[in-house]
Amino acid sequence: METAARWLVTGAHGMLGRDMVDTLARHPGASVTSADHAMLDVTDPAAVARLVPGHDIVVNAAGLTNVDAAEDAEDDATAVNGTAVAHLARACADSGACLLHISTDYVFGGTARSPYREHDRPGPVNAYGRSKLAGEHALLRLLPEQGYIVRTAWLYGEHGRNFVATMLAQAAKSRVVWAVADHTGQPTWSRALARQLVQLGQAAHAGVAPPGIYHGTSAGHATWYDLTRALFDLAGLDPERVRPAPHTMFPRPAQRPAYGVLGHGRWRVAGVSPQAPWREQLGEALRTPAFAALAETARARSPHLETSGR
């Protein structure tokens, strides 16, 4: 399926964007334009219209991802996560490029009891989710034949702030680490998502992947508490140091969906493999240099858990 293609990656200095560029560098047939914000402001329609032509596949990894900040700046979030997607979709429609746009499980309300399907009705509960849903609507309206929405969730990676890195840092400072046990989702390694996006882009470029919505998350599901215990176990730390907590213990400006598990039914029609289970991904991620160094530091500096009286 792999054919020579010209790729444009927006948000190329972000966590997913850097993994996309690194992953594409391993594909001899791919030429890549790595566009950070300095090269391309996706909210500038003229700049988008100038840069997109000449590319076959555009991966939009740019976005305003600070969920809490979006509550007080919804217009700004919508400009980046919504209106900018319309600019990219129009430019791709004019040039004939495919657009792979990254969205989120936060377009759903979190009240489901089984995995959300790609065609289930969205109902975001915060400004960030509404801004991302605006981007989805723009893409589906303006680029129905060449547009691909890939929703992901609980993303972590080597190149940016994320929960896994935060918990490893916390392990080096605190005997006991608290983690939310009443919110469920799918911890997803950004490099695993990048690999899947490359496969989808190749299938789209070859004309064998139907356009529309896909769910780019790991297999299985976990709470933040489950994830933290697994992280400690795989990193050589004592999982008994992790304690379950209700989400109300960590009040945030933006409401989070309590359940964000996504179904993966559409990948088979695209001929693309679903992602590996979340714990398998986490183990692979911890073998990368950046995470391995964080784990080593956590082991070296971790306070000992007092077990007397338990």
Side-chain angles (χ1 to χ4, degrees), residues 33-80:
T33 301
S34 173
D36 62 4
H37 182 76
M39 176 183 286
L40 178 64
D41 177 357
V42 293
T43 66
D44 181 344
V48 170
R50 284 193 299 269
L51 190 57
V52 167
H55 297 94
D56 302 303
I57 306 163
V58 178
V59 179
N60 181 33
L64 190 155
T65 59
N66 188 323
V67 177
D68 292 320
E71 287 298 296
D72 292 324
E74 187 164 354
D75 289 346
D76 292 339
T78 302
V80 178

Side-chain angles (χ1 to χ4, degrees), residues 33-279:
T33 301
S34 173
D36 62 4
H37 182 76
M39 176 183 286
L40 178 64
D41 177 357
V42 293
T43 66
D44 181 344
V48 170
R50 284 193 299 269
L51 190 57
V52 167
H55 297 94
D56 302 303
I57 306 163
V58 178
V59 179
N60 181 33
L64 190 155
T65 59
N66 188 323
V67 177
D68 292 320
E71 287 298 296
D72 292 324
E74 187 164 354
D75 289 346
D76 292 339
T78 302
V80 178
N81 297 336
T83 307
V85 183
H87 301 332
L88 288 162
R90 290 189 186 96
C92 288
D94 290 342
S95 68
C98 299
L99 174 58
L100 278 58
H101 169 63
I102 310 306
S103 192
T104 174
D105 65 310
Y106 279 24
V107 299
F108 294 114
T111 59
R113 296 188 177 182
S114 60
Y116 285 102
R117 297 165 296 179
E118 293 85 351
H119 61 271
D120 283 343
R121 185 179 181 86
V125 295
N126 56 41
Y128 172 71
R130 290 189 294 270
S131 73
K132 295 298 283 188
L133 185 59
E136 291 191 6
H137 287 163
L139 185 146
L140 293 172
R141 182 179 73 254
L142 297 168
L143 199 64
E145 301 301 322
Q146 299 156 252
Y148 298 79
I149 294 164
V150 181
R151 294 174 179 146
T152 193
W154 291 26
L155 208 61
Y156 64 91
E158 297 175 81
H159 308 297
R161 294 177 59 189
N162 62 86
F163 183 83
V164 170
T166 297
M167 289 298 100
L168 288 173
Q170 191 67 25
K173 298 185 294 184
S174 304
R175 287 187 178 87
V176 171
V177 174
W178 296 88
V180 171
D182 56 1
H183 282 186
T184 302
Q186 292 161 306
T188 302
W189 185 28
S190 56
R191 189 179 298 181
L193 176 58
R195 293 168 181 165
Q196 192 175 46
L197 289 168
V198 171
Q199 292 180 52
L200 179 60
Q202 291 168 343
H205 183 49
V208 297
I213 300 171
Y214 295 80
H215 287 164
T217 50
S218 64
H221 58 82
T223 65
W224 295 111
Y225 170 69
D226 297 330
L227 169 59
T228 308
R229 282 186 62 90
L231 171 63
F232 274 49
D233 183 34
L234 292 168
L237 301 163
D238 182 4
E240 295 304 314
R241 295 171 56 198
V242 183
R243 299 286 194 268
H247 72 277
T248 52
M249 185 173 174
F250 305 99
R252 308 289 290 276
Q255 181 181 346
R256 266 68 170 173
Y259 181 88
V261 180
L262 304 179
H264 305 126
R266 290 203 75 217
W267 289 111
R268 60 179 175 270
V269 302
V272 175
S273 300
Q275 291 185 34
W278 66 268
R279 187 180 172 104

